[in-house]
Amino acid sequence: MNKPKNRSFHNARDAKQDEFYTQLPDIERELRHYRKHFHGKTVYCNCDDPRVSNFFHYFSYNFEKLGLKKLIATCYKNQDMDLFSQNATEQAISLEYTGDKNGNFVPNIDEIGIKPLKGDGDFRSEESILLLEQADIVVTNPPFSLFREYVTQLVEYGKKFLIVGNQNAITYREVFDLFKENKIWLGYKSGDMAFRVPHYYEARNTRFWQDETGQKWRSLGNACWYTNLDIAKRHEDLILYKTYSPDLYPAYANFDGIEVGQTIDIPMDYPGSMGVPVTFLDKHNPDQFEILGSSRTLGKPMTEVAEKGTYEQGGRRFYLSNGDGTYRRLYDRIVIRNKRL
């Protein structure tokens, strides 16, 4: 595989607020569904300072219970024990843990191999890729602003993964194509999650607070876990109980398909294309439904549909007729088909 070219990675990253640190209870609640996948495996946690990362904490303290082979972690431009060091140094470290040596089943400091990296620990650097190639499974919270590039790298190198992301990333072309091809899916937890953030982050009007210790927090109402590890949830059928009628399920003006406003309203007897909200992916069973595409790629330009009609301009989406020569544009839709009809 091609190694990354020498280039500056950091301008975009430094301009973003990418430091969201996942709480240990959130990691524990999600990881309990995947334990069978980790036996005999090498786990790689990057994009966090491993000395204070809750991902490193979880896997090091559960090393024997999970039956891990090796745990590797790296951080980006940080040699300071302060979790939020503002990445002030260009050098980073890697940590390696291969299990308990003294019988107390606690990852003591003298059992953890600490190595300085020549570079800054960016996940795209050659050093980090060499560590990635050793890994079987990657588990971390990558920088949200680089999410599509991060996922693309994992797929390119054929890695299994479980990572935290923003649900909006589903609409990225590169990420959505992976959903369509059944190369990625959503894990168990989605919705509201709270993250520690650095002290130098400015306060926001919503979803931001500071606790009694002075620690700043931000929550995301659309955080979720992305994975390509097979889980039981992925094979649970969505129970369908509604029947199709043209009155309840209007046809789109610029695509041969019907509008289904909520996942719960998917009709059990419609064999054609259906547009559903992006949140459908949290319930998607690839044995039950096929993902055909999205409104961003399948919707015809409205100039071809309503030359004299009035419609809201904007990026390509699906439209519904209002019955009076005007049309309304919908939010992004995923197009599915019931494979059992």
Side-chain angles (χ1 to χ4, degrees), residues 4 14 34-36 38 63 80 91 95 108 110 132 147 177 208 286:
D14 291 341
Y34 303 80
R35 290 183 176 179
K36 67 178 183 179
F38 290 99
F63 193 94
D80 193 325
Q91 193 173 25
L95 268 61
N108 304 117
D110 57 351
L132 175 66
F147 189 84
D177 286 347
F208 186 98

Side-chain angles (χ1 to χ4, degrees), residues 13 64 85 97 133 146 166 179 195 205 233 253-254 275 295 330 339:
R13 175 173 181 149
E64 283 75 24
S85 66
Y97 183 61
E133 290 177 332
L146 298 173
N166 190 312
F179 273 96
F195 302 85
N205 293 329
K233 170 191 172 185
N254 59 331
S295 54
L330 304 175
K339 296 172 70 173

Side-chain angles (χ1 to χ4, degrees), residues 169-181:
I170 292 171
T171 62
Y172 299 162
R173 179 181 58 81
E174 301 89 340
V175 177
F176 181 77
D177 286 347
L178 295 175
F179 273 96
K180 183 180 174 183
E181 297 164 8

Side-chain angles (χ1 to χ4, degrees), residues 121-244:
D122 188 290
F123 70 86
R124 296 160 292 189
S125 68
E126 186 170 351
E127 283 181 301
S128 294
I129 290 178
L130 288 174
L131 294 173
L132 175 66
E133 290 177 332
Q134 298 180 35
D136 299 301
I137 306 175
V138 176
V139 185
T140 194
N141 178 357
F144 290 167
S145 68
L146 298 173
F147 189 84
R148 70 183 81 195
E149 188 169 357
Y150 186 84
V151 171
T152 298
Q153 183 192 78
L154 293 178
V155 173
E156 177 186 354
Y157 284 85
K159 298 303 173 181
K160 296 295 185 180
F161 57 85
L162 176 62
I163 57 178
V164 180
N166 190 312
Q167 202 170 60
N168 292 337
I170 292 171
T171 62
Y172 299 162
R173 179 181 58 81
E174 301 89 340
V175 177
F176 181 77
D177 286 347
L178 295 175
F179 273 96
K180 183 180 174 183
E181 297 164 8
N182 282 315
K183 293 181 179 179
I184 189 175
W185 44 88
L186 294 182
Y188 280 84
K189 168 67 177 177
S190 62
D192 198 42
M193 289 178 65
F195 302 85
R196 287 184 296 163
V197 296
H199 63 83
Y200 55 87
Y201 275 22
E202 294 182 1
R204 297 164 57 94
N205 293 329
T206 59
R207 293 189 172 275
F208 186 98
W209 68 95
Q210 190 167 333
D211 64 26
E212 63 278 3
T213 68
Q215 173 64 59
K216 290 183 177 180
W217 295 82
R218 277 191 60 185
S219 67
L220 296 177
N222 58 355
C224 59
W225 294 83
Y226 293 82
T227 189
N228 59 357
L229 295 168
D230 199 26
I231 48 178
K233 170 191 172 185
R234 188 167 177 256
H235 302 286
E236 295 174 355
D237 273 5
L238 180 64
I239 303 302
L240 309 176
Y241 62 94
K242 293 197 172 183
T243 55
Y244 168 75

Side-chain angles (χ1 to χ4, degrees), residues 37-152:
H37 293 285
F38 290 99
H39 186 79
K41 298 298 193 296
T42 294
V43 174
Y44 184 32
C45 303
N46 55 5
C47 303
D48 259 342
D49 186 329
R51 293 156 298 189
V52 286
S53 162
N54 282 324
F55 286 101
F56 186 81
H57 178 98
Y58 174 84
F59 284 110
S60 60
Y61 276 82
N62 290 278
F63 193 94
E64 283 75 24
K65 184 181 296 184
L66 294 170
L68 296 181
K69 176 183 178 182
K70 184 190 294 186
L71 173 61
I72 305 171
T74 57
C75 67
Y76 173 71
K77 284 172 35 173
N78 190 355
Q79 291 183 317
D80 193 325
M81 284 300 290
D82 177 8
L83 179 60
F84 307 117
S85 66
Q86 300 191 50
N87 301 322
T89 174
E90 288 297 319
Q91 193 173 25
I93 62 162
S94 68
L95 268 61
E96 184 176 296
Y97 183 61
T98 56
D100 180 63
K101 303 295 189 299
N102 60 13
N104 67 353
F105 297 103
V106 174
N108 304 117
I109 189 65
D110 57 351
E111 296 173 330
I112 300 173
I114 303 176
K115 300 178 181 179
L117 297 176
K118 295 179 181 178
D120 61 14
D122 188 290
F123 70 86
R124 296 160 292 189
S125 68
E126 186 170 351
E127 283 181 301
S128 294
I129 290 178
L130 288 174
L131 294 173
L132 175 66
E133 290 177 332
Q134 298 180 35
D136 299 301
I137 306 175
V138 176
V139 185
T140 194
N141 178 357
F144 290 167
S145 68
L146 298 173
F147 189 84
R148 70 183 81 195
E149 188 169 357
Y150 186 84
V151 171
T152 298

